[in-house]
Amino acid sequence: MKIICIGRNYLAHVKELDNALPTEPLFFMKPETALLPAGEPFPYPDFSKEIHYETELVLRICKTGKAIDEKQASGYYDAITVGIDFTARDLQSRCKAKGHPWEIAKAFDYSAPIGEFKKISELKCTEDIAFGMKLNGVWAQQGHSHDMIFSFDRIVSHVSRFVTLEEGDCIFTGTPQGVGEVHVDDVLELFLEDEPMFKFEIK
Ligand code: MG
């Protein structure tokens, strides 16, 4: 499986990092080794001094597709959860300044903790999906899918023009505003709608 991540998909987050507004979905990828095994703590990596959380809705692809028409795209994903797109912001800033790829800042081991998937049809409200993350018991990020610049269908259609999507692939759909640093001993708890999905520690 592969992990695809959309960047700059919420206006307020684009502004907080002083980035340009994208005219089409911007994506990058993480390898399967970026998954954090369930129940394990996130090991703070020794190559960064500024690891940021980005709390995101994550889609799961349910069938193979290439160059998927946006109107057909909803048939290619059927499950959703929340996850963290961990980012070594210090390394990313250096990469951006030099015009280099971002992989060292985004694709590192355990940089993609993901909750258990839930069928989209079982959500209370599919039109506007609420999600969020509590850091040490206090809300750090709260988002709503209707604030996305590019919809799930647009994202799936766009990515599949370049990369064949396969069953089991995951798509992080972008972070709302409020990204910030984590520190050793922090506890992160992620929510989908009002349901707690998973909790883990930084070690
Ligand atoms: Mg992100």
Side-chain angles (χ1 to χ4, degrees), residues 86-162:
F86 273 124
T87 304
R89 197 70 74 198
D90 45 357
L91 301 188
Q92 189 191 32
S93 299
R94 270 180 253 157
C95 292
K96 281 161 80 173
K98 291 179 185 163
H100 288 174
W102 291 348
E103 265 76 3
I104 58 167
K106 287 286 198 180
F108 56 88
D109 288 353
Y110 315 122
S111 62
I114 295 177
E116 270 184 44
F117 281 92
K118 196 172 168 170
K119 287 277 181 196
I120 291 177
S121 55
E122 289 167 12
L123 293 177
K124 292 189 193 106
C125 173
T126 53
E127 298 305 306
D128 184 21
I129 305 164
F131 64 104
M133 186 270 285
K134 282 184 182 176
L135 181 63
N136 303 321
V138 178
W139 284 113
Q141 283 192 286
Q142 286 179 282
H144 293 269
S145 63
H146 76 173
D147 291 329
M148 293 190 304
I149 298 170
F150 301 109
S151 67
F152 295 155
D153 291 351
R154 177 79 198 279
I155 289 167
V156 166
S157 172
H158 179 78
V159 171
S160 72
R161 284 177 60 202
F162 304 93

Side-chain angles (χ1 to χ4, degrees), residues 6 28 54 56 85 106 174-175:
I6 304 299
F28 57 91
E54 297 186 356
E56 309 194 7
D85 165 19
K106 287 286 198 180
T175 181

Side-chain angles (χ1 to χ4, degrees), residues 4-201:
I4 291 148
C5 305
I6 304 299
R8 305 180 190 171
N9 201 24
Y10 287 80
L11 185 58
H13 170 66
V14 172
K15 287 183 175 167
E16 77 180 342
L17 291 189
D18 206 16
N19 284 319
L21 203 60
T23 53
E24 55 182 24
L26 176 96
F27 73 92
F28 57 91
M29 291 166 73
K30 296 186 190 239
E32 194 170 348
T33 42
L35 294 173
L36 179 69
E40 292 289 315
F42 170 81
Y44 199 105
D46 60 7
F47 49 75
S48 172
K49 291 188 164 45
E50 193 187 8
I51 298 290
H52 272 200
Y53 55 77
E54 297 186 356
T55 309
E56 309 194 7
L57 289 170
V58 184
L59 299 177
R60 190 176 63 195
I61 296 298
C62 60
K63 66 174 177 183
T64 298
K66 176 155 182 65
I68 300 164
D69 188 278
E70 193 175 330
K71 293 188 198 74
Q72 312 299 325
S74 64
Y76 288 81
Y77 58 91
D78 65 349
I80 192 163
T81 190
V82 276
I84 298 286
D85 165 19
F86 273 124
T87 304
R89 197 70 74 198
D90 45 357
L91 301 188
Q92 189 191 32
S93 299
R94 270 180 253 157
C95 292
K96 281 161 80 173
K98 291 179 185 163
H100 288 174
W102 291 348
E103 265 76 3
I104 58 167
K106 287 286 198 180
F108 56 88
D109 288 353
Y110 315 122
S111 62
I114 295 177
E116 270 184 44
F117 281 92
K118 196 172 168 170
K119 287 277 181 196
I120 291 177
S121 55
E122 289 167 12
L123 293 177
K124 292 189 193 106
C125 173
T126 53
E127 298 305 306
D128 184 21
I129 305 164
F131 64 104
M133 186 270 285
K134 282 184 182 176
L135 181 63
N136 303 321
V138 178
W139 284 113
Q141 283 192 286
Q142 286 179 282
H144 293 269
S145 63
H146 76 173
D147 291 329
M148 293 190 304
I149 298 170
F150 301 109
S151 67
F152 295 155
D153 291 351
R154 177 79 198 279
I155 289 167
V156 166
S157 172
H158 179 78
V159 171
S160 72
R161 284 177 60 202
F162 304 93
V163 179
T164 298
L165 294 174
E166 297 170 295
E167 187 179 352
D169 288 348
C170 295
I171 305 183
F172 278 71
T173 57
T175 181
Q177 69 192 107
V179 300
E181 275 188 68
V182 291
H183 301 97
V184 170
D185 294 334
D186 281 348
V187 176
L188 284 71
E189 187 172 20
L190 282 85
F191 293 80
L192 179 62
E193 298 192 306
D194 47 12
E195 193 188 330
M197 299 296 283
F198 72 111
K199 195 175 182 170
F200 66 99
E201 224 177 328

